């Protein structure tokens, strides 16, 4: 018959039994902690919808497969995915509320698929990718920055250049124009995804570009950058020398003013007269139409203390100005509502000083084109509410200005006073 003493009692001393108990307790604790930690790990969903009122943005994770020539993205299905959508049809351009332009952007299909019926991968990548369109208004410098470059900066920053750009509706002239910026945001050559007939596979893919607002960035939103961070990024990209206009204060030179010339719409008819007046008041004046070589433009604009021009894409180049420089916007009749979001607010956020000159009807070529009681004169805002295409035709595409130099002189004097202070 067995003794009342247990086998452990007979085999180990009391001290050794206590040590074994402590070891067993420690192992149990570590196992339990590890198991709980695993359970607490978030389940990575196949799709995160990051869209807002400006753009459709989806972040896709897992075994993501893209077939460019059919404009289709395949996402692994997940039983934990609580989403009624099995398919999405979206367009990767950051101006989704613009019905007119979105009809020219390629529509992409995003489909959930079980792993067993996925299309076969022809090329596997270990890096993430971003899909976006260079269609739409690309080619207009304001839209190049507002709809593409700033959103691309925001979307690609978290990847620290280790990301591949997959471009739909590719415009080769756009890629060439902004190649320095693209090279700073990604280590890799851009891919014309529309031409790819084979299936490309990625561990992560972002469809669309994050956009916060017109020509700006909301620093309270991820990735928590500001428009000045973007300005500094451009300054480094194009090796711009002037960070501020402090060199103007430390020298005895005249303040340098760039007048952005326009030869098509919203032409400043008495440009020469305005130029001469600015020179008499004390400015060193250069009149220049903005060219396509953005690297040369960036260096040119950075050398000035003041940029002046009629409302239009040319004023977008204020992004290259040194801090504390002055922006003078000549706002044609009826365009007051566009001036604020497009240039007034962005200039202040860029650490620039902003002056606005509102063109009166007497200074506009619209005078005499319509009946005296026309809504074109009485209610530009009402015209805009009826549809932007008609509004653009009237106020943007068919209006030139001839400034009252006696009245405009006060604005130039105000610019001088700002620079002195």
């Amino acid at each position: 018959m067995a003794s009342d003493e247990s086998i452990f009692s007979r085999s180990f001393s009391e001290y050794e039994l206590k040590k074994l108990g402590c070891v067993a307790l420690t192992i149990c604790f570590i196992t339990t902690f590890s198991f709980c930690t695993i359970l607490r790990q978030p389940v990575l969903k196949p799709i995160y919808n990051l869209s807002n009122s400006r753009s459709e943005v989806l972040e896709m994770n897992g075994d993501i497969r893209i077939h460019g020539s059919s404009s289709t993205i395949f996402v692994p299905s997940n039983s934990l995915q609580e989403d009624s959508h099995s398919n999405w049809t979206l367009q990767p351009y950051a101006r989704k509320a613009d019905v007119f332009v979105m009809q020219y952007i390629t529509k992409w299909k995003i489909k959930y698929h079980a792993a067993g019926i996925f299309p076969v991968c022809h090329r596997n990548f270990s890096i993430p990718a971003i899909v976006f369109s260079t269609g739409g208004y690309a080619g207009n410098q304001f839209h190049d920055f507002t709809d593409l470059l700033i959103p691309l900066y925001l979307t690609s920053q978290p990847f620290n250049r280790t990301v591949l750009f997959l471009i739909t509706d590719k415009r080769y002239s756009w890629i060439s124009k902004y190649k320095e910026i693209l090279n700073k945001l990604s280590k890799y050559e851009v891919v014309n995804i529309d031409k790819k007939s084979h299936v490309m596979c990625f561990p992560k893919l972002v469809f669309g570009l994050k956009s916060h607002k017109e020509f700006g960035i909301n620093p309270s939103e991820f990735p928590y950058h500001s428009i000045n961070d973007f300005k500094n990024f451009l300054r480094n990209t194009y090796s711009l020398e002037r960070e501020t206009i402090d060199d103007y204060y430390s020298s005895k030179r005249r303040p340098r003013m760039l007048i952005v010339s326009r030869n098509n719409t919203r032409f400043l008819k008495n440009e020469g007269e305005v130029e001469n007046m600015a020179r008499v008041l004390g400015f060193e004046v250069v009149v220049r139409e903005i060219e396509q070589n953005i690297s040369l433009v960036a260096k040119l604009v950075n050398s000035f203390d003041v940029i002046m021009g009629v409302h239009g894409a040319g004023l977008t180049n204020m992004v290259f100005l040194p801090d504390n420089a002055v922006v003078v916007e000549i706002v044609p009749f009826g365009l007051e509502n566009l001036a604020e979001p497009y240039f007034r607010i962005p200039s202040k956020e860029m650490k620039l000083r902003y002056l606005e000159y509102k063109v009166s009807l007497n200074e506009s070529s619209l005078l005499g084109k319509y009946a005296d009681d026309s809504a074109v004169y009485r209610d530009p805002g009402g015209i805009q509410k009826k549809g932007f295409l008609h509004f653009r035709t009237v106020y943007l595409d068919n209006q030139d200005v001839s400034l009252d130099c006696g009245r405009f002189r006060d604005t130039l004097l105000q610019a001088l006073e700002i620079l002195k202070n």
Side-chain angles (χ1 to χ4, degrees):
M1 180 176 290
S3 167
D4 291 339
E5 293 181 39
S6 68
I7 295 174
F8 281 139
S9 300
R10 293 197 304 270
S11 303
F12 300 99
S13 68
E14 183 177 354
Y15 173 73
E16 289 172 327
L17 286 172
K18 287 182 178 179
K19 285 184 66 178
L20 283 172
C22 289
V23 170
L25 184 62
T26 301
I27 292 173
C28 288
F29 175 79
I30 293 173
T31 302
T32 302
F33 178 79
S34 300
F35 183 69
C36 290
T37 300
I38 292 172
L39 289 179
R40 283 202 304 269
Q41 293 297 318
V43 177
L44 195 62
K45 295 193 296 184
I47 294 181
Y48 288 88
N49 190 342
L50 307 176
S51 304
N52 62 16
S53 62
R54 295 187 61 84
S55 62
E56 301 286 3
V57 183
L58 299 181
E59 181 185 289
M60 310 175 204
N61 300 285
D63 183 5
I64 310 301
R65 307 189 181 195
I66 181 168
H67 185 243
S69 60
S70 68
S71 306
T72 306
I73 299 171
F74 301 92
V75 183
S77 63
N78 187 340
S79 59
L80 297 179
Q81 179 80 16
E82 296 180 358
D83 196 316
S84 60
H85 296 285
S86 58
N87 297 293
W88 309 61
T89 300
L90 300 173
Q91 297 161 282
Y93 186 71
R95 196 164 281 272
K96 71 178 188 180
D98 189 327
V99 177
F100 171 76
V101 76
M102 293 305 287
Q103 64 186 320
Y104 299 104
I105 305 297
T106 297
K107 293 181 179 180
W108 280 74
K109 300 176 289 293
I110 294 93
K111 296 183 175 182
Y112 284 113
H113 267 269
I117 57 173
F118 253 25
V120 177
C121 282
H122 292 92
R123 188 174 179 188
N124 281 286
F125 293 82
S126 60
I127 60 173
I130 299 173
V131 177
F132 65 96
S133 171
T134 56
Y137 295 124
N140 174 292
Q141 195 172 358
F142 177 81
H143 290 284
D144 286 345
F145 277 83
T146 296
D147 303 345
L148 285 164
L149 294 174
I150 294 175
L152 183 60
Y153 169 81
L154 288 172
T155 308
S156 63
Q157 276 297 294
F159 300 113
N160 194 27
R161 298 188 68 232
T162 306
V163 62
L164 186 64
F165 295 152
L166 307 178
I167 298 182
T168 185
D169 309 314
K170 183 178 179 181
R171 293 187 181 179
Y172 290 92
S173 59
W174 192 91
I175 302 299
S176 176
K177 182 175 182 178
Y178 296 110
K179 62 182 179 180
E180 291 93 345
I181 293 177
L182 295 173
N183 290 340
K184 280 287 187 178
L185 294 176
S186 172
K187 303 174 186 176
Y188 312 99
E189 290 291 324
V190 300
V191 174
N192 183 354
I193 192 61
D194 296 338
K195 299 294 185 182
K196 299 299 180 182
S197 58
H198 58 270
V199 176
M200 304 166 70
C201 300
F202 297 89
K204 178 189 287 286
L205 188 143
V206 179
F207 180 88
L209 300 178
K210 299 172 184 176
S211 177
H212 295 166
K213 56 184 178 179
E214 297 287 356
F215 200 20
I217 294 174
N218 185 347
S220 66
E221 294 185 30
F222 183 82
Y224 311 114
H225 289 277
S226 69
I227 193 63
N228 281 299
D229 294 328
F230 180 70
K231 273 189 67 179
N232 290 334
F233 165 77
L234 293 177
R235 188 177 292 123
N236 292 330
T237 298
Y238 292 111
S239 302
L240 304 183
E241 294 183 359
R242 301 177 74 210
E243 184 174 348
T244 72
I245 62 168
D246 287 350
D247 61 319
Y248 162 69
Y249 296 117
S250 61
S251 68
K252 295 182 179 180
R253 65 173 176 81
R254 304 172 95 190
R256 303 190 72 229
M257 171 184 284
L258 174 64
I259 299 179
V260 178
S261 185
R262 298 178 62 90
N263 287 328
N264 296 316
T265 60
R266 281 157 281 141
F267 175 62
L268 180 57
K269 296 170 73 173
N270 59 337
E271 186 174 78
E273 187 180 358
V274 171
E275 175 190 356
N276 291 333
M277 181 174 64
R279 189 171 284 114
V280 168
L281 289 176
F283 290 99
E284 177 188 337
V285 183
V286 174
V287 180
R288 185 75 61 88
E289 188 174 1
I290 299 300
E291 58 183 280
Q292 287 297 306
N293 188 320
I294 199 69
S295 180
L296 294 179
V297 169
K299 290 178 172 61
L300 173 72
V301 174
N302 185 251
S303 70
F304 286 89
D305 310 302
V306 182
I307 189 171
M308 183 183 82
V310 180
H311 175 92
L315 285 178
T316 308
N317 292 288
M318 69 185 192
V319 75
F320 301 120
L321 284 172
D323 290 352
N324 295 320
V326 177
V327 177
V328 180
E329 180 180 11
I330 300 168
V331 183
F333 181 82
L335 297 185
E336 293 86 353
N337 290 340
L338 298 186
E340 181 173 13
Y342 281 31
F343 297 115
R344 186 192 309 158
I345 293 175
S347 65
K348 293 177 180 178
E349 293 177 346
M350 292 179 192
K351 297 182 180 179
L352 304 173
R353 275 83 68 84
Y354 175 88
L355 291 174
E356 180 177 277
Y357 179 83
K358 295 181 181 179
V359 171
S360 68
L361 183 56
N362 289 332
E363 298 169 288
S364 169
S365 64
L366 293 177
L367 182 65
K369 285 186 177 181
Y370 303 90
D372 291 346
D373 62 346
S374 171
V376 169
Y377 303 147
R378 291 186 292 101
D379 188 16
I383 299 291
Q384 185 176 1
K385 290 177 182 177
K386 292 180 179 179
F388 187 76
L389 289 181
H390 178 56
F391 177 84
R392 185 179 73 180
T393 299
V394 173
Y395 297 101
L396 290 166
D397 297 342
N398 290 286
Q399 179 179 192
D400 295 324
V401 299
S402 182
L403 301 187
D404 177 343
C405 285
R407 181 168 164 250
F408 186 64
R409 184 175 185 273
D410 291 339
T411 302
L412 294 181
L413 289 173
Q414 192 176 354
L416 280 172
E417 188 63 28
I418 289 173
L419 288 172
K420 289 178 182 177
N421 294 329

